[in-house]
Amino acid sequence: MDRRRARLSILLILSIAALAAEGAAAVPAARPSTGTEAGALLDLMPVPESVTARAGRFRISEGLTIGGPGPATGRAFKAAARFMSRLTGRTGLFIEQDWLAAQRPQGEAGIRYAFERAGGLLPGEDESYTLTVGADRVALAAPTDLGVLRGLETLLQLLSADEAGYYFPCCEIKDRPRFVWRGLLVDVGRHFHPVEVLKRNLDAMAAVKMNVLHWHLTEDQGFRVESKVFPRLHQLGSDGQFFTQAQVREIIEYAADRGIRVMPEFDLPGHSTSWFVAYPEHSSAPGPYAIERRFGVFGPAFNPADERVYPFFDAFFKEMAGLFPDPYLHIGGDEVEGHQWDANPAIQAFKKKQGLADNGALQAYFNGRLLRILTKHGKTVVGWDEVLQPGLPKDIVIHSWRGPESLVEAARKGHRGILSNGYYIDLCQPAAFHYLNDPLPAGSPLDDAQKALVLGGEATMWSELATSETIDSRIWPRTAAIAERLWSPAAVRDVEDMYRRLPGVSLRLEELGLLHVKNAGMLLRRLAGRSDIGPLEALAEAVEPLEGYKRHGQAAYTSLSPFTRFVDACAPESPEAHVFGRDVERFLAGRDRTVAASLGVKMSGWRDNHAAVLPYLAAAPALREIEPLSLGLRRACEIGLEALAVLVKGEGRPAAWAEDKAKVLAEAARPAAHAELAVLEAVGKLVRAAAGKAGR
């Protein structure tokens, strides 16, 4: 595997060099694609294992056909049909597709796919493929149909255009994933996200070659799946917002057609208030219980000492095992608060009788009982870090939210593991932070056998602060960076190149129905009560939601709170602020006057925007909370423009000047409207440079 990773950069360099030698234009990795062969290859995301550029172009015409083995009901054929539909949508060409229904293309197909067998939906299945684009034919070969799916996504990313029309650049791509588990957790417990939300996000997952939907179905705030054995669970614990078993099967089939497994999570023994609304007798303290509206860690937990609990779980998991075909089932196991256990005399007596030293040992006992039940029903158990207790059977998979150390500990004890620490996309952290987070970082203390136990990772979309209107923007496009980390060779770590490619990925995701871009404008129009929202959009591009858990401290959020405010229309990471910060770095490194002019235009626009924002605040009370952000941006840009002028003239300012400006920037940095200005660090660099200090 290490040799494969090392080949990537070498092959790209050699390929582009060969292309240049043949007279074709080559585009350096640091530059945007200009439609040339090399540019299209360098825009791929995730980056393939190896890419070899060739001279020539495969032209796309309305007579294009696609074909391969398998029935029209097969996964590969369905993917080919979706491919042609998306290709038509992107090009506007009237490509004949009626023959797809009968799978009888006329003559030799221009795009030909081949595979040896249908792939199984389980970790470790072969997803590799070889894609060869020639001037007169495209050939896609893979050991399984899953590889065909992954290769078709790569081919779509290669679509290019010139004066003569659309084409695929000639090349050979050999590709396979680095990790076998590349997942996205979607929490439907804290906020319910209906079928259409899951479907569009499954399409997005397939586009970036992710292969596991981790469906977090139960929480203190809701029990979200129909149970025909215990119908009171969903009837009383969901506010009427749950997935019927028919809908569950629909999602599983939809995911399977895209090469994605669906693993359910039923969080136990804590995070379980919604279970006790229907069955308070299974809790460790008397009821009655109501659905929890707040967010956090709460006391209610199942009673491990009560024997009635285990027949209940036996019947429940027998039903769920029949509903969810995936071999893995997640039992949660995190954040058991413990007060109910401590206050229950029967539980304390049980611990003493069983020789259980503490609540960790009690939870291990509970997990052991669940493990036997789930094993009987054919499931492999996955649990969060807390389930890793002495004596835990080796076949339980450890899902690490605490950090890489937990993953290392699990592997050393012989457990397979999945990393989510560093991939919490709900925390509004930069794509670069997630991108450089690695399940197997350089210098890992694990040996080769232990490294093989690290299956991969999952982005986690906890939904305390995300509704169906905003969840897409909290997942995408940053999760594409995580997808690349889990698919591409470890040597692919160029952060700025990742940012260069990310906007193109974002555009392609919109094609699939993702609302991560357009819903921002919808929310701003709703708040303003008008359609012309340019000044609000200009402010939003310089603002980001508070990072980490800081936003939770700004208000008493509940599952019924409004998530339609200005902060909800702001991207978790502002692309404009990132570009601004990068350009400040470029200017400070070379004092390029062209870059300085661009910075001046941007800061002048932000400075003058405050006056344009004020009428919106006067007319819309819901927007008045953003006035400090708008005013802070104006003042910061006034300072930035002054510092920029000093630097362009080659002058300097005394330290006292910089100290005064820093105080103004510190005031502008104070949170407002549960958000913060994202451009202040870059402005501060200009100020420090103008005072003769380092730009960093």
Side-chain angles (χ1 to χ4, degrees), residues 1-12 44 46-51 174-179 182 435-440 481-494 501:
M1 182 175 288
D2 291 338
R3 288 193 299 271
R4 291 203 313 268
R5 296 173 205 153
R7 288 204 310 267
L8 173 76
S9 56
I10 298 172
L11 282 167
L12 277 172
L44 295 174
V47 169
E49 181 186 65
S50 72
V51 179
K174 295 182 179 180
D175 201 10
R176 70 182 67 241
R178 180 181 172 210
F179 291 105
R182 308 177 307 279
Y435 190 64
L436 296 177
N437 185 60
D438 198 308
L440 285 174
I482 299 173
E484 178 160 281
R485 173 57 50 239
L486 298 175
W487 177 280
S488 299
V492 179
R493 294 177 58 83
D494 187 329
R501 290 175 287 131

Side-chain angles (χ1 to χ4, degrees), residues 2-51:
D2 291 338
R3 288 193 299 271
R4 291 203 313 268
R5 296 173 205 153
R7 288 204 310 267
L8 173 76
S9 56
I10 298 172
L11 282 167
L12 277 172
I13 293 169
L14 292 176
S15 300
I16 294 172
L19 196 63
E22 294 180 32
V27 181
R31 287 174 50 197
S33 169
T34 59
T36 65
E37 288 85 342
L41 295 173
L42 290 168
D43 285 343
L44 295 174
M45 193 170 194
V47 169
E49 181 186 65
S50 72
V51 179

Side-chain angles (χ1 to χ4, degrees), residues 62-65 84 94-100:
E62 293 184 346
L64 179 67
T65 58
M84 294 296 281
F94 288 75
I95 300 175
E96 176 60 51
Q97 298 179 69
D98 284 348
W99 56 268
L100 283 167

Side-chain angles (χ1 to χ4, degrees), residues 375-420:
T375 300
K376 181 176 73 172
H377 296 305
K379 297 300 181 184
T380 297
V381 173
V382 184
W384 297 105
D385 287 314
E386 288 90 334
V387 306
L388 185 58
Q389 297 289 336
L392 186 72
K394 294 290 192 294
D395 55 352
I396 290 184
V397 180
I398 304 303
H399 193 168
S400 177
W401 68 273
R402 289 175 167 171
E405 298 81 7
S406 297
L407 203 63
V408 168
E409 180 188 1
R412 283 175 167 167
K413 292 180 177 178
H415 291 276
R416 289 168 292 167
I418 309 160
L419 181 66
S420 278

Side-chain angles (χ1 to χ4, degrees), residues 252-283:
I252 291 170
E253 181 180 359
Y254 194 89
D257 279 345
R258 287 150 182 79
I260 297 172
R261 299 167 35 222
V262 177
M263 177 183 68
E265 179 182 351
F266 302 95
D267 205 347
L268 304 166
H271 286 283
S272 50
T273 303
S274 62
W275 298 69
F276 304 139
V277 179
Y279 296 97
E281 64 270 24
H282 293 318
S283 179

Side-chain angles (χ1 to χ4, degrees), residues 44 46-51 114 126-132 139-144 146-155 172-177 209 487:
L44 295 174
V47 169
E49 181 186 65
S50 72
V51 179
D126 197 322
E127 299 176 80
S128 66
Y129 65 91
T130 298
L131 176 64
T132 304
L140 173 59
T144 73
L146 296 175
V148 172
L149 269 60
R150 310 308 179 217
L152 287 173
E153 294 294 345
T154 299
L155 184 58
E172 182 177 57
I173 294 174
K174 295 182 179 180
D175 201 10
R176 70 182 67 241
K209 302 181 174 65
W487 177 280

